[in-house]
Amino acid sequence: MRSGQISDYGLLADGRSAALVDQNGSVNWWCPGRFDAPSVFARLLDDGAGHWSIRPEDDYTVERRYLDDTLVLRTVFRTARGEVALTDALALEPGARGHDIGMESPQVLVRSVRGLSGTVPMRVLYRPRFEYGRTTAYLIEREDMLEAIAGAARLTMRASVRMNAGDGEATATFTVRAGTSHTFTLGYAPTYDSPLPQVPDADSAIADTVAGWRSWADQHNYQGLYADQVRRSRLVLRGMTYGPSGAVVASVTTSLPEKLGGNRNYDYRYVWVRDFSLTLRALWRSTCYTEVQRQFAWLGRAMGRVDERPVPIMYGVLGERDLTEHRLDQLGGYRDSPPVVIGNDAWQQRQTDIFGETMDAAWLMRDDLEPLKHEVRHLLRVLADEAARNWKLPDAGMWEERGVEHHHVSSKVQCWVALDRAVRFGDRLGEPPDVARWAAARDEVRAQVLTRGWSERLQSYTGRLDTDDLDASVLIMPLVGFLRADDPRMRATIHAVERQLSHDGLLRRWDGDPAGFLICSFWLVCCLALAGERDRAHELFHALAGRVNDLGLFAEQIDPLTGEQVGNFPQAFSHIGLINAAGVLTDVERDPTLRSLGTSPPHFTPARS
């Protein structure tokens, strides 16, 4: 049986791909090679789509944790006859340390079972299914290894116990006694034009992976509040980073539903420009310049030379633009909630907020960008001009409405951000007539938002111009410096959004949104802190941070009635929200007069490494 809830899963990562392991010791998701590659295990989305389980034969209880400062997972099974520990890791490349981890990972999943007490019978079921469950592999025994080959993929397993191969699966039973251990190493490689999969010694690979993760963590010394939560979240973000390019994916999964039985199932294994500024700020606060610079360099390469064509709103991990969406009708979906899709058609949308997110990131890094290289200057000038030219147009908005466009207030605000930052760059970016033109457009945008974005009936800024529709996206206003949080209308907006869209501390994006959206809830924390309501902000932060699963992981949303995590998992946006909220709470403790963000770097300055 599959695990019942998304929060049952733990994340393994190696800087190229990710695996999800449930509380029963079953790897139910792994797309080796890169985050958006075809799966070899996908039982997360269909019972028949492949998995690899190691668990006791007897009834058991479970306790699990990550080894300190790593994404190496230790699960302890307790039975009537004894206890065993299962340690799982996606191996890092041997000897890699610090910022070099994840660059050349060997694409190896390592599992080690060690007896802690008594005598515990164990059972293994290995059932690979390639390309999202479409293909059943031939299992071939070769000396001390078991190969699974089908189509473009090849897996090689080395186990310290005898694996009995059958039609499309292999099984084993063995007994673990206190002090003894059994290991399993599973390597992936493409079938053609590639060396055979690596199958290193399991214990050595785990030890080296632990050392690699800890060496990365040791280079980053976060000095703010809620350090334990921030350290875990920054590790999650590092685990969701594609090492060769430095791109941070929104999530490592596809099609985990926002609502069971609904149709808002999307592939999040890509990189959104919208997330970029928030990701950069989170890395700025919690890591160091090296991680920040890698992010900015990636975006510049992905965008290339920007001209009159629309600026893409999202990319693949290597900067791919065509992310055309396809349905996988052979998969029944998570808990029978189809559709399952790969690709994301949002890549074709117009989302004018991306101009602001990119310009804000450049402003955050302005000291490190000096003197502006020709290509950076060209990119930023074009984005400022695009904001000035397109801010009056409707768009899909940050929630990516499909098939319709509206005049979203948050998009207008981000166009203001793009123009405001361009004006602040001044003659470093443009000639005096350019700066004057950007300033005039900036002031026009601001006037429109302040008049047409305000609802007298609601006493709040709204999600769309000239409407009475509340939307949590307007909470970004003080976070980007558009308004002070203690501005009377902004304060009224904060309270109206909280009153109408919040349930038990979880903030929905709009009225009718089926679940609380975590980053919006963390935006509320930031707004309360900046408005001078520090006690309430800390109280809400504690409540939200307490909703992680037992391993400190967040999905995209949480059902406010059941408390169940929903949506793709883990979700970078949610962990970014936690880091930035902890940072704002730290900033406000250090400077109680702080009332808005966005026009200067956070008070915390990252270490250079």
Side-chain angles (χ1 to χ4, degrees), residues 17-71:
S17 64
L20 295 182
V21 188
D22 73 9
Q23 290 182 337
N24 299 309
S26 183
V27 181
N28 289 345
W29 182 253
W30 187 28
C31 300
R34 52 184 270 172
F35 294 108
D36 59 339
S39 65
V40 297
F41 302 127
R43 188 164 68 157
L44 178 69
L45 299 175
D46 190 284
D47 275 342
H51 72 285
W52 178 18
S53 64
I54 302 176
R55 62 176 179 81
E57 289 192 332
D58 299 342
D59 293 340
Y60 54 84
T61 60
V62 169
E63 182 179 330
R64 59 185 184 163
R65 67 178 182 88
Y66 285 115
L67 302 187
D68 292 345
D69 289 327
T70 78
L71 290 179

Side-chain angles (χ1 to χ4, degrees), residues 353-404:
D353 60 316
I354 66 170
F355 308 132
E357 277 106 14
T358 308
M359 289 294 294
D360 189 52
W363 181 248
L364 179 68
M365 288 193 65
R366 59 191 178 276
D367 292 339
D368 288 291
L369 294 176
E370 293 292 347
L372 290 179
K373 294 180 180 179
H374 170 75
E375 59 269 24
V376 174
R377 186 172 182 268
H378 174 77
L379 169 64
L380 300 181
R381 281 178 57 91
V382 170
L383 292 176
D385 287 340
E386 287 290 296
R389 183 181 304 115
N390 293 320
W391 74 266
K392 294 181 181 180
L393 297 177
D395 74 339
M398 71 164 58
W399 308 136
E400 300 185 345
E401 293 180 273
R402 295 199 170 189
V404 65

Side-chain angles (χ1 to χ4, degrees), residues 59 61 146 154 174 187 217 223 260 290 430 466:
D59 293 340
T61 60
L146 181 66
R154 176 196 299 259
F174 61 98
Q223 299 287 340
L260 290 176
T290 301
D466 305 317

Side-chain angles (χ1 to χ4, degrees), residues 156-397:
T156 299
M157 176 185 288
R158 175 180 286 141
S160 64
V161 302
R162 169 72 179 177
M163 297 294 296
N164 301 301
D167 292 335
E169 67 181 42
T171 61
T173 57
F174 61 98
T175 299
V176 184
R177 295 175 176 83
T180 65
S181 62
H182 299 274
T183 58
F184 304 82
T185 305
L186 183 64
Y188 163 83
T191 302
Y192 306 103
D193 299 325
S194 178
L196 293 176
Q198 299 183 44
V199 281
D201 175 76
D203 290 333
S204 297
I206 289 173
D208 199 67
T209 299
V210 168
W213 280 115
R214 288 176 176 168
S215 71
W216 182 85
D218 287 344
Q219 291 189 341
H220 307 118
N221 186 23
Y222 171 74
Q223 299 287 340
L225 299 175
Y226 304 109
D228 289 344
Q229 293 92 329
V230 168
R231 280 195 293 267
R232 173 51 53 194
S233 286
R234 76 184 180 193
L235 263 175
V236 173
L237 292 182
R238 187 61 179 85
M240 296 169 66
T241 301
Y242 187 71
S245 68
V248 179
V249 295
S251 184
V252 304
T253 59
T254 178
S255 306
L256 295 183
E258 296 181 12
K259 179 182 179 182
L260 290 176
N263 61 0
R264 292 180 60 88
N265 298 6
Y266 304 119
D267 192 348
Y268 276 10
R269 299 172 297 166
Y270 305 108
V271 190
W272 270 256
V273 176
R274 170 177 309 105
D275 302 1
F276 183 68
S277 175
L278 295 170
T279 303
L280 208 67
R281 196 167 289 271
L283 294 175
W284 184 289
R285 290 186 181 278
S286 64
T287 59
C288 65
Y289 278 109
T290 301
E291 299 294 336
V292 173
Q293 289 168 331
R294 288 183 70 210
Q295 274 284 294
F296 198 87
W298 172 84
L299 183 66
R301 290 191 295 267
M303 282 190 167
R305 183 177 176 86
V306 178
D307 48 32
E308 297 300 320
R309 291 172 296 180
V311 179
I313 64 102
M314 60 187 295
Y315 300 90
V317 294
L318 292 179
E320 301 93 338
R321 299 187 178 206
D322 188 341
L323 307 176
T324 300
E325 194 169 295
H326 305 279
R327 286 181 61 128
L328 300 180
D329 290 328
Q330 78 272 15
L331 298 177
Y334 171 79
R335 289 168 64 178
D336 300 316
S337 291
V340 174
V341 299
I342 56 173
N344 194 310
D345 279 343
W347 74 276
Q348 301 180 78
Q349 290 183 343
R350 176 168 57 216
Q351 298 178 19
T352 56
D353 60 316
I354 66 170
F355 308 132
E357 277 106 14
T358 308
M359 289 294 294
D360 189 52
W363 181 248
L364 179 68
M365 288 193 65
R366 59 191 178 276
D367 292 339
D368 288 291
L369 294 176
E370 293 292 347
L372 290 179
K373 294 180 180 179
H374 170 75
E375 59 269 24
V376 174
R377 186 172 182 268
H378 174 77
L379 169 64
L380 300 181
R381 281 178 57 91
V382 170
L383 292 176
D385 287 340
E386 287 290 296
R389 183 181 304 115
N390 293 320
W391 74 266
K392 294 181 181 180
L393 297 177
D395 74 339

